[in-house]
Amino acid sequence: MLFDTHAHLNDSQFNEDLEEVIERAQTEGVTHMVIVGFDRLTIERAMDLVEHYDFMYACVGWHPVDAIDMTDEDLTWIEDLASHPKVVAIGEMGLDYHWDKSPKDIQQEVFRRQIRLAKKVKLPIVIHNREATADIVEILKEEGAEEVGGIMHCFSGSPEVAKECVKMNFYISLGGPVTFKNAKKPKEVAEEIPLERLLIETDCPYLAPHPYRGKRNEPGYVRLVAEQIAEIKGLTFEEVAQATTQNAKKLFGIK
Ligand SMILES: [Zn+2]
């Protein structure tokens, strides 16, 4: 069994062949997936999917790139959705200093408000971080995010930062980049972080693992991520699959 903890099957890139993509995932042993919505349209689509497929769960929040668009009504809507039985986390949220659509101070405020919301509804949070590690860690500390914990999604930082996040009650989720030949840091993280704090994900349609790099990613490819972690850690594929699935179920409160 495999748990893809971060999939955007709600992306329009899957409109044409969603059923085939899901079938391939099941053939590869994917038993659970979390569909991540990060704005009005993708949250609505994520909720449609999780109501239709029993093996899908939802994570709802507001993306930092679009922080400038988030209204008070949007945040209230997310809070209402949090009580839905299939919503298992709040996010993705965080900071993205690569794109400058939303100024840093607005991104930080929207990030803080979502952490407070997650604490209120008692759900873990899913963190998106691009070129903003120091500010992310500081805000997580200041806001007491440890209380709910969560996931550092598609983690690309150093083992040192990963360890700091683990201390704050976070899991480290690895995706396609751990399979890239030149990806030194994700491989070091896979090696140094104990299996009981690791999760796997695709972030599909983005970041397809080797040998599909540059193509559209899909949940079935999460098997390649688990195989790579198994190789790095000197474990069997089954050990990694089972442990990461158990970790995800525990975090999301799935029986
Ligand atoms: Zn994502």
Side-chain angles (χ1 to χ4, degrees):
M1 47 156 64
L2 291 162
F3 197 136
D4 183 355
T5 62
H6 198 111
H8 299 283
L9 286 186
N10 45 351
D11 190 284
S12 59
Q13 288 189 47
F14 295 107
N15 284 356
E16 300 297 312
D17 62 346
L18 182 65
E19 287 304 325
E20 286 98 317
V21 167
I22 290 170
E23 267 172 42
R24 282 197 292 273
Q26 291 179 322
T27 304
E28 295 295 336
V30 178
T31 52
H32 300 76
M33 17 180 133
V34 167
I35 310 301
V36 182
F38 49 68
D39 60 16
R40 279 268 163 188
L41 203 68
T42 58
I43 290 172
E44 275 167 11
R45 178 78 178 127
M47 296 310 295
D48 286 346
L49 287 173
V50 302
E51 283 181 6
H52 191 75
Y53 297 99
D54 58 356
F55 51 89
M56 292 186 193
Y57 298 84
C59 170
V60 296
W62 211 265
H63 203 283
V65 169
D66 302 316
I68 196 162
D69 300 328
M70 194 192 80
T71 63
D72 291 349
E73 289 73 36
D74 292 327
L75 200 63
T76 307
W77 180 54
I78 291 167
E79 184 173 343
D80 291 342
L81 288 174
S83 62
H84 188 289
K86 296 201 83 181
V87 171
V88 294
I90 304 295
E92 54 190 294
M93 64 173 81
L95 301 173
D96 191 318
Y97 293 167
H98 183 76
W99 306 104
D100 57 7
K101 178 183 168 186
S102 299
K104 287 183 184 178
D105 59 332
I106 291 176
Q107 289 194 35
Q108 291 172 9
E109 186 56 28
V110 166
F111 183 24
R112 287 179 190 274
R113 290 178 77 188
Q114 291 186 84
I115 298 171
R116 288 170 203 159
L117 167 64
K119 288 168 76 176
K120 191 171 161 194
V121 299
K122 298 186 167 54
L123 285 177
I125 58 179
V126 173
I127 307 297
H128 171 103
N129 168 22
R130 194 155 180 203
E131 298 164 21
T133 303
D135 287 356
I136 294 253
V137 170
E138 190 184 309
I139 289 173
L140 290 175
K141 278 189 185 147
E142 283 177 9
E143 295 292 336
E146 184 174 354
E147 193 182 306
V148 287
I151 302 175
M152 305 306 289
H153 132 67
C154 204
F155 189 81
S156 61
S158 66
E160 290 67 37
V161 174
K163 284 172 194 165
E164 207 178 343
C165 295
V166 167
K167 271 194 210 132
M168 286 192 288
N169 196 22
F170 278 78
Y171 287 83
I172 308 300
S173 184
L174 295 171
V178 75
T179 68
F180 299 166
K181 295 232 168 358
N182 56 355
K184 195 163 158 262
K185 280 196 280 183
K187 289 187 201 294
E188 287 171 1
V189 167
E191 191 178 346
E192 292 189 36
I193 298 302
L195 190 56
E196 57 267 28
R197 297 309 292 190
L198 286 181
L199 297 172
I200 53 175
E201 65 170 75
T202 55
D203 199 19
C204 65
Y206 315 106
L207 292 170
H210 176 79
Y212 303 106
R213 192 172 183 178
K215 304 227 168 71
R216 185 188 70 170
N217 199 359
E218 59 178 64
Y221 297 168
V222 79
R223 169 177 277 270
L224 298 162
V225 175
E227 284 172 355
Q228 179 70 73
I229 294 172
E231 192 185 320
I232 291 169
K233 282 191 157 329
L235 299 169
T236 64
F237 164 76
E238 286 75 18
E239 285 170 319
V240 171
Q242 198 186 16
T244 51
T245 297
Q246 283 311 118
N247 295 345
K249 284 181 163 183
K250 189 175 155 202
L251 175 69
F252 295 130
I254 296 170
K255 297 247 162 60

